[in-house]
Amino acid sequence: MSWFESFILGLVQGLTEFLPISSSAHLRLTAAFAGWEDPGPAFTAITQIGTELAVLIYFRKDIANIVSAWFRSLFNKEWRGNHDAQMGWLVIVGSIPIGVLGVTLKDQIEGPFRDLRLTATMLVVMGIILGFADWRAARDESGGKHRTPVQRKTLRELGVKDGLIFGVCQAMALVPGVSRSGATISGGLLMGYTRESAARYSFLLAVPAVLASGAYELKDASDGHTAWGPTIFATVIAFIVGYAVIAWFMKFITTKSFMPFVVYRVLLGLAVFALVAFGVLSAHAAESAG
């Protein structure tokens, strides 16, 4: 991998990780369109550490409060009813599905799941689901001629059941094209949460999953096939760009609809289908030799 490739891929990772458009799909497609080798799941997992560091810094107060309260709740019963302590447990509960499926489906993640036809399918299908979820949220918030606005849930109403559902939605992002934030935010909106609450929990839930995935891939990356210089450079780029995207996205969702992302996902998915169907792009283009 060249330094130029690592810069572009790091930029793509930072731009797309937190938007509901699938960073893994865009890394895969960027490599395919440019004629490069697939950066592979190890590169993706390691560069995601950079974007998760951006989450740790942006939400540092929330995370510090959650970690502190959670540890106190282990030794002091009075803290177990604290909202931040409960959020710590809910993040752990929500991380179970992706942990189990990530290990169980490792061979599929590194093989069949990287077929561009599947990526295109997920871009379209999850785009439609996100659009429907966003429409329902907008209808609840605005009410209508014959309806009163519906009060949507906040994270203070999050329980174990909803936490697990969020976790299952996040696990769907193991398939390129789904989008971690897109799936968890869609799940949250369909369960009746506000856009801001769904996005905030999505970002918090991603921290342990991504850091654990990155650490796991670091073990396998020590086989000598990883270009460490470009990979670290891409991770730094992803961190810088990712932080800016989080700040923008959290402001965007308070007043705007997700429909621009829905339209983009569907058009991109259909374009990939067309390119593969007409032989312009191979369904296995840019797959790693290894």
Side-chain angles (χ1 to χ4, degrees):
M1 177 183 295
S2 70
W3 291 94
F4 177 72
E5 289 178 41
S6 69
F7 172 77
I8 296 299
L9 293 175
L11 184 65
V12 170
Q13 169 65 27
L15 285 171
T16 60
E17 173 66 18
F18 303 113
L19 303 181
I21 56 176
S22 180
S23 60
S24 57
H26 280 76
L27 287 173
R28 179 88 172 81
L29 291 171
T30 298
F33 286 134
W36 302 334
E37 283 193 349
D38 180 358
F43 176 89
T44 301
I46 293 170
T47 54
Q48 281 179 336
I49 293 177
T51 47
E52 288 314 304
L53 288 176
V55 172
L56 289 173
I57 293 176
Y58 187 85
F59 293 106
R60 59 190 178 278
K61 292 182 179 179
D62 289 2
I63 293 172
N65 290 337
I66 289 171
V67 172
S68 174
W70 181 80
F71 270 111
R72 292 185 182 187
S73 73
L74 295 177
F75 307 102
N76 189 333
K77 291 183 179 180
E78 293 180 0
W79 278 88
R80 293 175 188 174
N82 179 275
H83 172 67
D84 288 327
Q86 292 174 344
M87 279 297 297
W89 286 112
L90 290 169
V91 168
I92 292 172
V93 167
S95 300
I96 293 173
I98 197 169
V100 173
L101 292 176
V103 174
T104 304
L105 302 176
K106 186 176 187 298
D107 291 340
Q108 286 75 20
I109 294 169
E110 296 179 352
F113 285 3
R114 301 186 76 76
D115 188 308
L116 288 181
R117 290 166 296 190
L118 179 58
T119 299
T121 299
M122 291 299 98
L123 283 168
V124 173
V125 171
M126 288 306 301
I128 294 172
I129 292 174
L130 176 61
F132 175 73
D134 187 60
W135 171 78
R136 275 194 55 183
R139 185 189 63 175
D140 287 349
E141 292 166 356
S142 64
K145 186 175 181 180
H146 303 292
R147 299 177 68 253
T148 58
V150 176
Q151 185 68 38
R152 305 210 111 219
K153 295 187 286 187
T154 69
L155 292 184
R156 290 200 171 270
E157 299 166 81
L158 181 67
V160 173
K161 177 184 176 182
D162 286 357
L164 278 173
I165 294 175
F166 266 112
V168 171
C169 292
Q170 176 180 236
M172 293 171 61
L174 293 169
V175 181
V178 171
S179 170
R180 185 190 311 277
S181 65
T184 50
I185 290 173
S186 294
L189 293 178
L190 290 173
M191 286 189 286
Y193 288 87
T194 65
R195 290 185 178 90
E196 193 273 340
S197 294
R200 184 174 292 268
Y201 186 62
S202 170
F203 291 161
L204 293 175
L205 193 61
V207 173
V210 171
L211 294 181
S213 174
Y216 184 83
E217 293 293 350
L218 280 173
K219 173 179 66 67
D220 291 346
S222 61
D223 58 7
H225 297 295
T226 301
W228 282 107
T231 299
I232 293 173
F233 178 58
T235 302
V236 172
I237 296 297
F239 163 74
I240 296 171
V241 177
Y243 186 89
V245 171
I246 294 175
W248 173 81
F249 187 65
M250 292 304 293
K251 292 179 181 178
F252 176 88
I253 60 175
T254 59
T255 58
K256 305 293 184 182
S257 164
F258 286 115
M259 290 310 296
F261 302 113
V262 172
V263 173
Y264 173 77
R265 287 183 65 106
V266 172
L267 291 179
L268 179 61
L270 293 177
V272 173
F273 266 128
L275 291 172
V276 172
F278 288 106
V280 177
L281 198 63
S282 167
H284 304 286
E287 286 190 350
S288 298

